[in-house]
Amino acid sequence: MKTRRSSRLLLAVSLALNVAGCVEQDESIQPGPSNPVGEARQAVVSQGIKDKVIAGYQGWFSAHGDGSPVERWYHWSGGVYRSNEGMPAPGHQSFDLYPDISEYPPGSLFQTGYAPLGNGAPAKLFSSYSADVVNKHFQWMQQYGIDGAAVQRFMTTDGVFMAHRNSVATKVKTAAEATGRLFYIMYDISGMDDATFVQMIKDDWTKTIVGQLQLTTSPRYAVQDGKPVVAIWGVGFTDRSNSAARSSELIDWFRAQGTYVIGGVPTNWRTSSGDSKPGFTEVYKKFHMISPWTVGRYKHDVEIDSYKNTHVIPDRDYCATHGMAYQPVLFPGFAWYNWNGGPKNELPRRGGAFLWRQAFNIRSAGIPAAYIAMFDEYDEGTAIAKAAEDSSMTPTNQYFLTLSSDGIYISSDFYLRLAGKATRMIEGLDALTPTVPIPYTNGPVWFRTGGEETDAALTWSNTIDPTGGGSVGVTGPGGTGGVGFGVVSGERAHGGSRALRISGRDTAATGGSFAYFKAYDVHIPVQASTQLSFWTYPQNSLSQHVTVDLIMTDGSSLRDSGATDVNGIGMHPGASRGTVNAWTQTKSRIGQWLAGKTIDRILITYDYGPLTGDFLGYVDDIEIRD
C-alpha cells in the first residue's frame, strides 16, 4: 500500500476556497473586528465549505500496544504486525518533525527506542488510534480557529488495516461533533490499480462510509449545496496509474449519488502539462471544486508570487468560467531527511513567513477558502499541529526537525495560531496583512536555546555591542588578535554537542576590562514572574566572570539593575560565578527588577577589573520563561 507521494513531495489538506460570486456566507460568524487568536472561529461553523479553510488530517500513526487492529508501529517507522519489532529507534524512523507530546494523556503515548529527550523526558510517541489523541487534535482546531478536516482515506484489501481506518474515522466524527468542526472523507487513489480502484471506492462509500459508519448523517459532516462532500485526490497525476476513463466513471458515479465532489489534482491541471497527464481536461471539469497540489512547487517568496500569477489567478478564473469552485493548497514547509533522504529542512518554514505569503496571495486574489497541507503530517514536516520547539524536545541520539530549526525560537503552538490567523484573513474576517501578524511565542517559555542545529541560532557572531557595553582592555587569547565569541561543537556542552564560547586575554589590571558581545535579537516582555536561567563552565578563575547579560528596549541592562540570582549572587559579571571546570546553573527571577520592561537583546559577556590573564568560558542552555 502506498501513501500519497507526488512526483516530488506529498500529501494534502483541504482548504475550502471559492471564486468571487460563489461565496457561501457562514451564518455563525460574520465579518467584524478581529478576535484574538484562540477565540477565532470557536463557534460551530456552518457545513458549507466554499468559504472555509480545511486542514488535511492523516490520523495514520499507530504504535505497538495501542490496542488497534494492527497494533504495530506505523508511519513513525515500519513496524511488524502485532509486534514491537521495528519500533522507532536511531536510524529507524520514517518521520522528520518530532511532535510535542506534552499534552497527550500517558495512555496515548508509547515508548520508543530513542534516548530521552533533551529535557530528560522519555522519548515517546502518540497513536492516532487513541480517542484522546483525535479529541485533542480537534480541540486544537476549535481553540485556534481552524474550520475542520479532510480525513484521508487510503484503500486496500487488507481488512485489518481498514478496520483501523474505520475506527479513526468514527473517532473523528465524535470529535468533530464535540468541537463544532467540519469533516469530510478524502479518498487518496495513490498506488491503486486502475482496473479495481473505482469499484473499491464505490463499495467503501456505500457499504462503509454511508452504511456501516454512517458518517454522512453527522451534523458536522460537510455539506455543500445540499450535497455531502467527498474528495478524490490523485486524479490525473503523471505518476498515478488511473486512466481518464476510470476517473471519469468514478466522478460521474459520485455525482449520481448526490455528493459534492472535490478533485485533488496536479499543479498543472488546467494546462495538462508538467505533472498532469494529457487527456484529462474533460475529467477535471466534472468536479464541483478543484484543489491543485502545491507542496514542493516553490520555496522563495518570488516563486510563491510567480505561482500566484501563473496558476492561482488563471485557475480561479478558469473555475469561475466553468462553474467550479476553487480551493488552493498551502503548506508550512517540507522535509523528509529521515524518511527519504534529501537535505535537512529542505523547504524552510522561515518563521511562518513561508505559509503566510501563500495565505496573503490567496486572499489578495479574492479567494475565500483554502486547504492546508497538513494538520498532522509529521512524516514530511508539513504538520501544523504542535511540534517540538527545539532540541530540548527531541531525542538526544537522533536528528529531528524542530520548529526552531530556522534559527528562531518558536513555540509548539505557533503554526496553529498562524493557521487560525490565516483562516480569518482568507475568509475576510481580518484585514489583508503582508507580514506574519503574531509573535513567535506567547510564553510561558519566551526564549530557549542550547546552540544545537535545531535551536534558535545566534543573531550575531563575534560582534561587540557598542551601545550595550563595548570592549575595553581585552584582546585575543595570548594577547594577539581579537577576543573570540561564537558557537563551538565537540568541545564542551551541558546538553547536546554545542555551546557558546568566549575567550580572550584581560590586559588591564586597573580601570576595568570587559567585552560585551551581542548574541540574540529578541523582543520579550518581562513580567513579575519572569526568570532567566543558563549554565556556565569556566576553565579558570577569570572565566568565572563570563555570563549572560540583557539589554532592555529603554537602554537599561540586567547587570546594572541590582538583580541577583536565587542564591543572592549579583547578576553583574563582576561577581564570580560557578565552579572552575564544572557546569553550574544560574537562575535569576529577573522580573523582580525588570518587570514592565522589554528585553531587546541577549549578550554574552566578560567583565572583571582586578586581574589580568587569559580566560575561556562556555555558556549553554539559556532560557527565559515565566
Side-chain angles (χ1 to χ4, degrees):
M1 182 196 69
K2 295 182 180 179
T3 57
R4 179 184 310 167
R5 312 285 175 183
S6 66
S7 57
R8 170 145 169 79
L9 307 172
L10 52 128
L11 289 170
V13 172
S14 286
L15 287 176
L17 291 178
N18 190 8
V19 184
C22 304
V23 179
E24 176 195 79
Q25 287 296 321
D26 181 345
E27 296 179 357
S28 65
I29 299 202
Q30 295 296 329
S34 174
N35 292 319
V37 173
E39 297 179 6
R41 307 285 291 183
Q42 288 188 347
V44 174
V45 295
S46 65
Q47 285 181 286
I49 62 165
K50 286 184 177 180
D51 60 346
K52 300 294 191 304
V53 174
I54 302 295
Y57 190 71
Q58 303 289 8
W60 59 13
F61 297 101
S62 64
H64 177 62
D66 63 4
S68 69
V70 296
E71 200 165 330
R72 54 170 277 201
W73 289 100
Y74 187 55
H75 273 279
W76 299 123
S77 63
V80 177
Y81 176 62
R82 294 201 170 178
S83 167
N84 202 31
E85 184 179 345
M87 73 172 170
H92 188 73
Q93 57 275 317
S94 55
F95 68 106
D96 225 60
L97 180 65
Y98 206 87
D100 174 5
I101 61 173
S102 63
E103 293 187 33
Y104 297 109
S108 302
L109 296 173
F110 301 87
Q111 183 62 48
T112 69
Y114 300 117
L117 308 182
N119 59 20
K124 296 185 177 184
L125 292 166
F126 67 79
S127 169
S128 302
Y129 188 75
S130 166
D132 288 335
V133 168
V134 177
N135 290 339
K136 177 61 69 176
H137 289 166
F138 276 75
Q139 288 163 9
W140 287 343
M141 293 182 204
Q142 179 187 33
Q143 177 183 354
Y144 295 100
I146 300 165
D147 292 330
V151 183
Q152 312 301 291
R153 185 82 172 169
F154 302 95
M155 299 304 302
T156 174
T157 56
D158 183 344
V160 175
F161 173 82
M162 294 310 299
H164 180 281
R165 298 303 298 171
N166 292 346
S167 179
V168 171
T170 300
K171 290 162 185 169
V172 165
K173 172 179 176 290
T174 300
E177 291 172 354
T179 58
R181 301 304 94 186
L182 298 180
F183 76 102
Y184 59 87
I185 291 297
M186 174 179 273
Y187 285 103
D188 189 324
I189 63 175
S190 300
M192 298 186 70
D193 183 80
D194 188 54
T196 60
F197 84 95
V198 173
Q199 192 59 50
M200 286 181 67
I201 291 176
K202 287 180 180 180
D203 289 344
D204 183 72
W205 179 259
T206 55
K207 296 177 182 178
T208 305
I209 301 302
V210 175
Q212 176 188 345
L213 305 181
Q214 299 184 3
L215 297 186
T216 57
T217 65
S218 170
R220 304 315 307 142
Y221 195 89
V223 174
Q224 183 62 51
D225 301 334
K227 303 178 177 67
V229 175
V230 65
I232 307 170
W233 195 95
V235 172
F237 283 85
T238 56
D239 58 351
R240 267 69 179 175
S241 64
N242 59 293
S243 65
R246 295 283 189 180
S247 299
S248 183
E249 177 189 349
L250 182 61
I251 300 167
D252 287 342
W253 182 84
F254 267 117
R255 292 183 66 117
Q257 301 303 302
T259 61
Y260 184 92
V261 192
I262 302 173
V265 299
T267 304
N268 299 294
W269 67 280
R270 180 175 40 82
T271 58
S272 294
S273 60
D275 57 349
S276 176
K277 294 178 182 179
F280 272 76
T281 299
E282 296 305 313
V283 178
Y284 297 142
K285 289 180 182 178
K286 292 176 180 285
F287 287 115
H288 292 100
M289 175 181 276
I290 288 288
S291 187
W293 189 240
T294 60
V295 176
R297 303 308 191 249
Y298 39 69
K299 181 175 184 179
H300 304 290
D301 283 354
V302 65
E303 296 167 332
I304 298 173
D305 293 346
S306 175
Y307 184 85
K308 172 188 173 183
N309 294 325
T310 60
H311 289 76
V312 173
I313 292 176
D315 284 358
R316 175 202 67 187
D317 295 344
Y318 183 97
C319 286
T321 299
H322 291 86
M324 297 183 289
Y326 183 48
Q327 186 189 53
V329 172
L330 66 162
F331 65 105
F334 172 88
W336 57 10
Y337 173 81
N338 282 338
W339 178 71
N340 201 40
K344 296 177 180 178
N345 199 15
E346 184 170 349
L347 297 182
R349 296 181 174 219
R350 295 193 279 120
F354 181 72
L355 178 67
W356 192 257
R357 188 71 179 190
Q358 298 169 74
F360 174 81
N361 283 351
I362 289 170
R363 165 67 191 281
S364 65
I367 302 166
Y371 180 92
I372 301 175
M374 306 281 289
F375 185 84
D376 58 339
E377 233 288 32
Y378 295 100
D379 306 52
E380 297 165 350
T382 63
I384 62 169
K386 294 188 181 184
E389 297 170 354
D390 52 27
S391 64
S392 72
M393 298 171 68
T394 62
T396 56
N397 61 347
Q398 173 63 47
Y399 165 84
F400 283 103
L401 186 72
T402 74
L403 298 187
S404 296
S405 289
D406 293 338
I408 307 163
Y409 175 74
I410 291 179
S411 68
S412 68
D413 71 343
F414 175 79
Y415 284 93
L416 289 171
R417 289 188 284 120
L418 192 65
K421 290 296 286 185
T423 295
R424 292 187 61 84
M425 182 175 70
I426 289 171
E427 295 175 359
L429 301 175
D430 283 354
L432 185 64
T433 306
T435 56
V436 173
I438 61 172
Y440 295 126
T441 175
N442 285 327
V445 178
W446 294 99
F447 179 83
R448 183 171 56 216
T449 185
E452 305 301 316
E453 65 175 323
T454 57
D455 290 352
L458 286 171
T459 309
W460 303 277
S461 182
N462 212 31
T463 303
I464 292 292
D465 190 341
T467 61
S471 178
V472 171
V474 175
T475 68
T480 60
V483 62
F485 164 65
V487 175
V488 293
S489 179
E491 291 186 18
R492 298 281 181 191
H494 173 256
S497 61
R498 300 183 183 186
L500 301 175
R501 183 185 69 185
I502 183 171
S503 60
R505 169 166 286 192
D506 186 328
T507 65
T510 59
S513 303
F514 50 83
Y516 286 82
F517 285 93
K518 294 191 290 186
Y520 302 99
D521 184 16
V522 296
H523 189 82
I524 301 174
V526 181
Q527 306 175 64
S529 60
T530 303
Q531 175 179 280
L532 165 69
S533 66
F534 56 90
W535 292 77
T536 55
Y537 189 104
Q539 290 203 329
N540 58 22
S541 59
L542 277 180
S543 306
Q544 290 176 297
H545 302 280
V546 169
T547 188
V548 174
D549 195 15
L550 307 174
I551 302 297
M552 309 296 118
T553 54
D554 64 5
S556 61
S557 65
L558 173 64
R559 66 180 182 269
D560 293 328
S561 68
T564 65
D565 66 15
V566 293
N567 297 314
I569 300 172
M571 293 302 292
H572 193 286
S576 180
R577 186 166 305 285
T579 302
V580 173
N581 291 326
W583 284 104
T584 302
Q585 187 179 34
T586 293
K587 289 185 178 181
S588 175
R589 300 184 181 96
I590 60 174
Q592 295 180 21
W593 295 272
L594 301 174
K597 294 179 180 286
T598 299
I599 304 170
D600 183 66
R601 55 195 185 276
I602 301 172
L603 311 185
I604 305 299
T605 73
Y606 168 82
D607 191 337
Y608 193 56
L611 299 175
T612 62
D614 287 344
F615 61 88
L616 190 158
Y618 298 89
V619 179
D620 204 358
D621 294 335
I622 304 170
E623 181 178 85
I624 300 174
R625 66 173 299 140
D626 293 329

